């Protein structure tokens, strides 16, 4: 029986990219699919929030390269993120299976994973994003909030200052990165109380100054518990905040019935399946 074997290919192995989420709490939130991407990769790039989490990741893979050292005081975070993209793409172009591991969800408040996946796909490489448990997911669970009850609106805090945005005070309002509010340089790691006062001035158009505000930080280690502080809106500028804390404003007004729409729906309900009035 004659057999023919294919000649060995001289083409370099094509690279690939996956960006996965580690979740928020160490060891608890990593999904089986995310773990598989990590274990099958040739090289790992880690954009994680805690050195302990990075050490844990190093136990899963022999080649973990931290992205954290590229942060520097006074250096634009956008410049850092562009460096991350260049580092990751260099390995993908070299034909390696690359996995970027990011805390929480890799696509939430994360410019670099979206950009590097976009670039990799544009160059013909296989690229995939695997979701992870995000800070938003933990927030709903820890605070007992159902976003489907009154509705829930999310804003990066600085957007309320830089752009004209509409707030619905009958729904939950979740503000991210309040500790950095007003920073347009992307080079600071914190802004002061005077910047938060500007935010309060904007929010006071829709909320009374005595309205209760929740300041939330999820647990990142199994030995931790979520931290929740409650303050009046007027006192928000005087409370120390960091970029990992999230500010939540519960609804300040009741939902107002839309009587015209209710009448229209009543009319539809009174028409039977034949199209004739019931």
């Amino acid at each position: 029986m004659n057999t023919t074997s294919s000649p060995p290919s001289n083409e370099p192995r094509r690279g690939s990219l996956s960006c996965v989420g580690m979740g928020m709490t160490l060891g608890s939130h990593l999904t089986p699919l995310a773990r598989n991407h990590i274990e099958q990769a040739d090289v790992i790039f880690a954009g994680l929030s805690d050195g302990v989490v990075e050490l844990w990741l190093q136990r899963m893979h022999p080649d973990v390269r931290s992205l954290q050292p590229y942060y520097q005081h006074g250096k634009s975070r956008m410049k850092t993120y562009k460096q991350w993209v260049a580092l990751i793409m260099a390995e993908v172009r070299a034909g390696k299976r690359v996995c970027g591991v990011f805390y929480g969800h890799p696509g939430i408040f994360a410019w670099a994973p979206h950009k590097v996946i976009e670039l990799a796909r544009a160059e013909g490489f296989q690229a995939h994003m695997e979701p992870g448990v995000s800070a938003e997911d933990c927030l709903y669970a820890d605070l007992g909030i159902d976003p489907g009850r009154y509705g829930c609106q999310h804003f990066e805090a600085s957007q309320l200052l830089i752009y004209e945005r509409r707030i619905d005070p009958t729904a939950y309002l979740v503000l991210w990165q309040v500790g950095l509010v007003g920073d347009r340089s992307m080079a600071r790691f914190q802004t002061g109380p005077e910047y938060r006062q500007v935010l309060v001035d904007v929010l006071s158009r829709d909320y009374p100054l005595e309205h209760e505000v929740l300041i939330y930080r999820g647990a990142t280690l199994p030995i931790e518990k979520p931290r929740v502080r409650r303050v009046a809106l007027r006192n928000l500028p005087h409370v120390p905040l960091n970029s990992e804390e999230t500010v939540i404003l519960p609804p300040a007004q009741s939902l107002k019935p839309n009587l015209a729409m209710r009448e229209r729906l009543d009319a539809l309900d009174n028409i039977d399946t034949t199209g004739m009035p019931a």
Side-chain angles (χ1 to χ4, degrees):
M1 180 177 179
N2 294 327
T3 60
T4 57
S5 59
S6 300
S9 173
N10 292 323
E11 295 182 1
R13 179 164 61 95
R14 292 285 284 175
S16 64
L17 171 65
S18 60
C19 290
V20 308
M22 181 67 84
M24 298 304 298
T25 303
L26 173 63
S28 303
H29 293 165
L30 185 66
T31 67
L33 280 175
R35 179 184 291 272
N36 184 67
H37 282 289
I38 292 170
E39 293 174 344
Q40 297 299 317
D42 297 317
V43 57
I44 303 291
F45 286 97
L48 302 171
S49 59
D50 194 300
V52 175
V53 181
E54 196 168 293
L55 289 173
W56 188 79
L57 179 61
Q58 290 173 358
R59 295 169 57 186
M60 297 175 57
H61 198 281
D63 190 356
V64 175
R65 306 178 191 180
S66 177
L67 295 170
Q68 291 300 112
Y70 293 89
Y71 283 120
Q72 293 178 9
H73 285 281
K75 175 184 175 183
S76 169
R77 289 187 296 280
M78 183 55 66
K79 183 176 181 180
T80 296
Y81 300 151
K82 289 179 179 179
Q83 288 178 316
W84 289 7
V85 170
L87 289 166
I88 293 171
M89 282 305 303
E91 297 299 330
V92 173
R93 292 173 182 135
K96 295 182 181 179
R97 292 171 296 181
V98 180
C99 182
V101 182
F102 301 89
Y103 70 91
H105 189 301
I108 298 180
F109 283 91
W111 182 87
H114 283 293
K115 186 62 180 180
V116 74
I117 286 176
E118 175 190 339
L119 184 57
R121 288 174 177 170
E123 295 185 15
F125 296 104
Q126 182 180 355
H128 170 76
M129 180 178 286
E130 186 63 33
V133 177
S134 69
E136 178 185 349
D137 299 319
C138 297
L139 181 153
Y140 292 145
D142 292 335
L143 300 182
I145 293 175
D146 180 354
R149 186 176 183 186
Y150 301 113
C152 193
Q153 52 206 325
H154 294 257
F155 293 103
E156 196 278 330
S158 291
Q159 287 195 1
L160 293 184
L161 309 186
I162 299 171
Y163 303 102
E164 295 184 4
R165 306 302 303 264
R166 297 178 63 182
I167 295 174
D168 180 1
T170 67
Y172 285 99
L173 174 63
V174 180
L175 299 177
W176 301 92
Q177 298 183 338
V178 174
L180 289 168
V181 68
D183 175 33
R184 292 176 290 171
S185 69
M186 293 191 70
R188 297 188 237 183
F189 290 92
Q190 194 172 23
T191 53
E194 62 275 13
Y195 289 86
R196 292 196 294 279
Q197 183 61 56
V198 177
L199 175 64
V200 168
D201 292 344
V202 170
L203 294 173
S204 65
R205 300 170 187 168
D206 297 287
Y207 298 89
L209 288 173
E210 63 271 16
H211 190 67
E212 184 178 72
V213 171
L214 309 180
I215 302 172
Y216 167 79
R217 185 185 186 279
T220 57
L221 298 175
I223 59 173
E224 294 179 338
K225 291 184 178 180
R227 186 173 72 168
V228 181
R229 293 182 285 166
R230 300 173 185 270
V231 301
L233 177 60
R234 70 170 72 251
N235 294 327
L236 186 61
H238 313 297
V239 178
L241 287 175
N242 59 47
S243 60
E244 297 174 351
E245 292 180 297
T246 304
V247 172
I248 303 98
L249 281 74
Q253 300 176 19
S254 300
L255 292 168
K256 183 179 180 180
N258 188 327
L259 299 181
M261 288 298 105
R262 290 190 180 196
E263 290 179 2
R264 185 173 177 182
L265 292 172
D266 287 342
L268 290 174
D269 290 340
N270 289 329
I271 298 177
D272 65 16
T273 56
T274 65
M276 301 295 293

